[in-house]
């Protein structure tokens, strides 16, 4: 049998085989993308500033690099910009990097931007642009422009339209205080209000209260208000003459009263606390003068000052000494008598307290001397009483036994004639002289 002829395969066209081999060889040398060859970084930028996006290739093979916006629109293809937005500018282009800047960044520019590398398969990685918005306004609102010492006032600090929400801190001078904050969100923006309740004293007058903002988009943003505090007068009495000596009879005494307050004291007067003011005392404004001291001037002299807030005073205790006195007084000088415990000024009381300590020591010595004198007197009285007692118990005893025996001729007769004989023994009487 004759064999069946087999069909012949069509021969490849001349020149096609070399082209196929070339394509296979080219595909073999194209690197396969593993997702690790393309790198970029996230970008954080303050609104209105410039953001720079960088797409880099670690192992360049001359593949095409492309940058797309969040809407997948091509911003740059190599060094060509298809997107008609002049805010995007080419910073650097090479086989290994595409770097693009975006000026005047706004909230609408936030989102993911894609870097693409045309390999087989294509590689893609994205970078995120985050836009920070600093507070547009920072304001302190104070409840009362002028406060009175001891009052509580309320201050509010508001940081408006920021992103993210701000942190507000309070300071009084250099001391940090704690406030209470509330956050309100409007669309993508945040408004923060912090409330501070502060009890003020006279030492706070003129002190700044500072509202400071902590925000990644801004540094050292703060505002401040100066406290204005009204307070009662502070009164001081000073001795002009004698400067440091004793206040003796016949000598002059001059005192001066000074008062400071807010507002400044409008009324000031001298008075005597424990009695009427002597007629020979001369008061001229804030000065008090006694030309010729005498013992009747002893007492406490008070200077009072008042303003719109209240009244305060300071006292001077006067003790007039003899002209021969050479020692410092035990209790003498100034005392500042506060209207409340908060106004106690220890410095003002130093002189009087020193005097009081001297008085205590003087009183101690007097008490000890008095006790010793009493003990000595008691011992003398006791000795006198004992002497008299022993003197009265010392003497001669006489009896009636020998009565009538004085004229007897002998002893036997005397015994018989004696009234105090044995027969009358029951009638014997004994006398003590």
């Amino acid at each position: 049998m004759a064999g069946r002829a087999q069909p012949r395969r069509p021969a490849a066209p001349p020149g096609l085989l070399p082209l196929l081999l070339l394509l296979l060889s080219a595909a073999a040398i194209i690197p396969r993308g593993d997702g690790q060859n393309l790198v970029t970084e996230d970008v954080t930028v303050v609104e209105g500033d410039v953001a720079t996006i960088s797409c880099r290739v670690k192992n360049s093979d001359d593949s095409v690099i492309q940058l797309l916006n969040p809407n997948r629109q091509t911003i740059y293809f190599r060094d060509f910009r298809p997107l008609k937005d002049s805010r995007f500018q080419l910073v650097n282009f090479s086989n290994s990097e595409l770097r693009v800047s975006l000026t005047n960044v706004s909230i609408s520019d936030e989102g993911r931007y894609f870097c693409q590398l045309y390999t087989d398969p294509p590689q893609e990685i994205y970078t995120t642009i985050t836009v920070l918005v600093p507070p547009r306004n920072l304001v302190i609102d104070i409840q009362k422009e002028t406060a009175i010492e001891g009052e509580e006032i309320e201050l509010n600090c508001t940081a408006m339209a920021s992103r993210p929400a701000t942190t507000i801190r309070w300071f009084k001078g250099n001391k940090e205080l704690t406030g209470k904050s509330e956050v309100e969100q409007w669309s993508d923006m945040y408004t923060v209000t912090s409330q501070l309740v502060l009890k003020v004293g006279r030492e706070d007058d003129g002190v700044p209260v500072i509202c400071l903002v902590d925000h990644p988009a801004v540094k050292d943003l703060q505002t401040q208000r100066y406290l204005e505090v009204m307070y009662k007068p502070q009164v001081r009495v000073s001795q002009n003459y004698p400067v440091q000596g004793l206040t003796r009879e016949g000598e002059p005494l001059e005192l001066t009263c000074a008062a400071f307050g807010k507002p400044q004291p409008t009324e000031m007067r001298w008075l005597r606390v424990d009695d009427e003011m002597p007629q020979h005392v001369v008061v001229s404004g804030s000065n008090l003068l006694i030309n010729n001291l005498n013992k009747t001037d002893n007492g406490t002299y008070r200077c009072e000052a008042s303003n719109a807030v209240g009244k305060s005073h300071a006292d001077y205790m006067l003790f007039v000494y003899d002209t021969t006195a050479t020692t410092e007084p035990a209790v003498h000088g100034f005392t500042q008598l506060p209207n409340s415990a908060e106004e106690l000024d220890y410095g003002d009381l130093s002189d009087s307290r020193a005097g009081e300590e001297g008085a205590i020591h003087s009183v101690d010595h007097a008490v000890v001397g008095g006790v010793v004198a009493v003990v000595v007197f008691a011992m003398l009285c006791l000795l006198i009483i004992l002497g008299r007692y022993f003197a009265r118990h010392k003497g001669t005893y006489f009896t009636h036994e020998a009565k009538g025996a004085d004229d007897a001729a002998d002893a036997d007769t005397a015994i018989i004639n004696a009234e105090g004989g044995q027969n009358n023994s029951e009638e014997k009487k004994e006398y003590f002289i």
Side-chain angles (χ1 to χ4, degrees), residues 290-359:
I290 304 177
N291 287 315
N292 189 5
L293 288 173
N294 58 68
K295 298 265 186 192
T296 61
D297 296 327
N298 289 342
T300 301
Y301 294 82
R302 173 172 296 176
C303 176
E304 289 185 345
S306 60
N307 60 9
V309 180
K311 180 187 297 184
S312 300
H313 64 264
D315 290 347
Y316 177 88
M317 290 182 292
L318 173 63
F319 187 85
V320 180
Y321 290 82
D322 296 332
T323 56
T324 58
T326 58
T327 58
E328 290 295 331
V331 181
H332 174 248
F334 314 99
T335 56
Q336 172 71 28
L337 302 180
N339 296 323
S340 65
E342 296 178 355
E343 299 178 18
L344 184 61
D345 189 343
Y346 293 98
D348 300 331
L349 298 178
S350 59
D351 293 338
S352 62
R353 288 184 175 180
E356 290 174 3
E357 291 178 359

Side-chain angles (χ1 to χ4, degrees), residues 31 64 76 88 97 118 129 133 159 210 220 238 249 370 375 387 395 428:
V64 177
Y76 268 91
F88 290 97
E97 183 184 34
Y118 278 89
I129 291 182
V133 181
I210 302 169
D220 300 327
S238 58
E249 285 185 297
V375 171
K428 287 192 300 182

Side-chain angles (χ1 to χ4, degrees), residues 44-49 105-110 130-137 159-167 186-192 213-219 221:
T44 300
V45 62
V46 178
E47 184 183 33
D49 287 353
V105 178
S106 65
I107 292 293
S108 61
D109 295 321
E110 260 194 354
T130 302
V131 180
L132 304 177
V133 181
R136 302 188 185 278
N137 199 8
M160 301 178 63
S162 65
R163 183 179 182 184
T166 61
T167 299
W186 300 91
S187 184
D188 293 332
M189 300 295 183
Y190 299 88
T191 295
V192 180
V213 165
D214 279 342
H215 194 274
V218 66
K219 291 182 178 179
L221 177 61

Side-chain angles (χ1 to χ4, degrees), residues 14-329:
L16 182 58
L17 183 58
L19 181 58
L20 292 174
L21 293 175
L22 181 61
L23 292 174
L24 291 174
S25 299
I29 63 173
I30 294 176
R32 298 288 179 176
D34 58 1
Q36 302 297 324
N37 201 31
L38 192 62
V39 293
T40 187
E41 294 90 16
D42 291 337
V43 178
T44 300
V45 62
V46 178
E47 184 183 33
D49 287 353
V50 179
T52 301
I53 306 171
S54 177
C55 301
R56 299 189 304 277
V57 181
K58 291 189 293 184
N59 300 310
S60 175
D61 58 359
D62 297 333
S63 299
V64 177
I65 306 175
Q66 182 177 228
L67 177 64
L68 294 83
N69 66 12
N71 296 323
R72 291 284 179 172
Q73 296 172 321
T74 301
I75 301 173
Y76 268 91
F77 182 84
R78 289 183 179 272
D79 56 350
F80 175 69
R81 187 186 71 196
L83 188 65
K84 304 304 179 182
D85 189 343
S86 60
R87 295 184 303 145
F88 290 97
Q89 296 293 327
L90 185 64
V91 178
N92 182 47
F93 170 73
S94 66
N95 292 334
S96 59
E97 183 184 34
L98 174 62
R99 189 186 304 168
V100 178
S101 66
L102 172 60
T103 60
N104 196 21
V105 178
S106 65
I107 292 293
S108 61
D109 295 321
E110 260 194 354
R112 292 180 176 181
Y113 289 75
F114 300 91
C115 298
Q116 288 185 346
L117 182 63
Y118 278 89
T119 57
D120 185 19
Q123 296 182 38
E124 182 179 283
I125 193 170
Y126 66 85
T127 176
T128 302
I129 291 182
T130 302
V131 180
L132 304 177
V133 181
R136 302 188 185 278
N137 199 8
L138 188 64
V139 179
I140 291 182
D141 178 39
I142 190 167
Q143 182 184 24
K144 296 180 67 175
E145 294 292 335
T146 303
I148 299 176
E149 61 176 340
E151 282 187 340
E152 285 189 347
I153 61 173
E154 179 182 314
L155 298 95
N156 291 281
C157 183
T158 303
M160 301 178 63
S162 65
R163 183 179 182 184
T166 61
T167 299
I168 294 179
R169 300 168 63 191
W170 288 97
F171 291 86
K172 186 181 74 171
N174 296 323
K175 181 181 179 181
E176 185 167 2
L177 307 175
T178 302
K180 181 180 180 182
S181 296
E182 293 183 358
V183 180
E184 295 182 8
Q185 183 176 359
W186 300 91
S187 184
D188 293 332
M189 300 295 183
Y190 299 88
T191 295
V192 180
T193 300
S194 181
Q195 182 186 82
L196 176 68
V197 177
L198 182 64
K199 185 176 182 179
V200 296
R202 64 181 62 191
E203 67 279 0
D204 295 323
D205 184 50
V207 175
V209 175
I210 302 169
C211 173
L212 184 144
V213 165
D214 279 342
H215 194 274
V218 66
K219 291 182 178 179
D220 300 327
L221 177 61
Q222 65 181 37
T223 185
Q224 65 184 19
R225 292 285 296 271
Y226 287 89
L227 296 174
E228 186 173 356
V229 182
M230 300 176 66
Y231 51 90
K232 292 184 290 187
Q234 294 174 299
V235 185
R236 300 288 184 271
V237 174
S238 58
Q239 179 177 308
N240 298 336
Y241 187 86
V243 179
Q244 291 181 340
L246 297 175
T247 49
R248 297 184 178 91
E249 285 185 297
E251 294 185 355
L253 170 68
E254 183 179 1
L255 304 177
T256 296
C257 180
F260 304 94
K262 190 171 182 178
Q264 190 63 20
T266 56
E267 183 181 352
M268 186 181 300
R269 71 188 186 107
W270 282 95
L271 57 93
R272 186 172 177 180
V273 176
D274 45 8
D275 203 347
E276 294 184 358
M277 187 73 77
Q279 294 183 354
H280 59 277
V281 174
V282 179
V283 176
S284 177
S286 60
N287 293 334
L288 182 145
L289 176 64
I290 304 177
N291 287 315
N292 189 5
L293 288 173
N294 58 68
K295 298 265 186 192
T296 61
D297 296 327
N298 289 342
T300 301
Y301 294 82
R302 173 172 296 176
C303 176
E304 289 185 345
S306 60
N307 60 9
V309 180
K311 180 187 297 184
S312 300
H313 64 264
D315 290 347
Y316 177 88
M317 290 182 292
L318 173 63
F319 187 85
V320 180
Y321 290 82
D322 296 332
T323 56
T324 58
T326 58
T327 58
E328 290 295 331

Side-chain angles (χ1 to χ4, degrees), residues 367-385:
V367 171
V368 172
V371 171
V372 171
V374 171
V375 171
V376 172
F377 180 75
M379 292 180 64
L380 290 175
C381 293
L382 181 61
L383 290 175
I384 293 172
I385 294 172

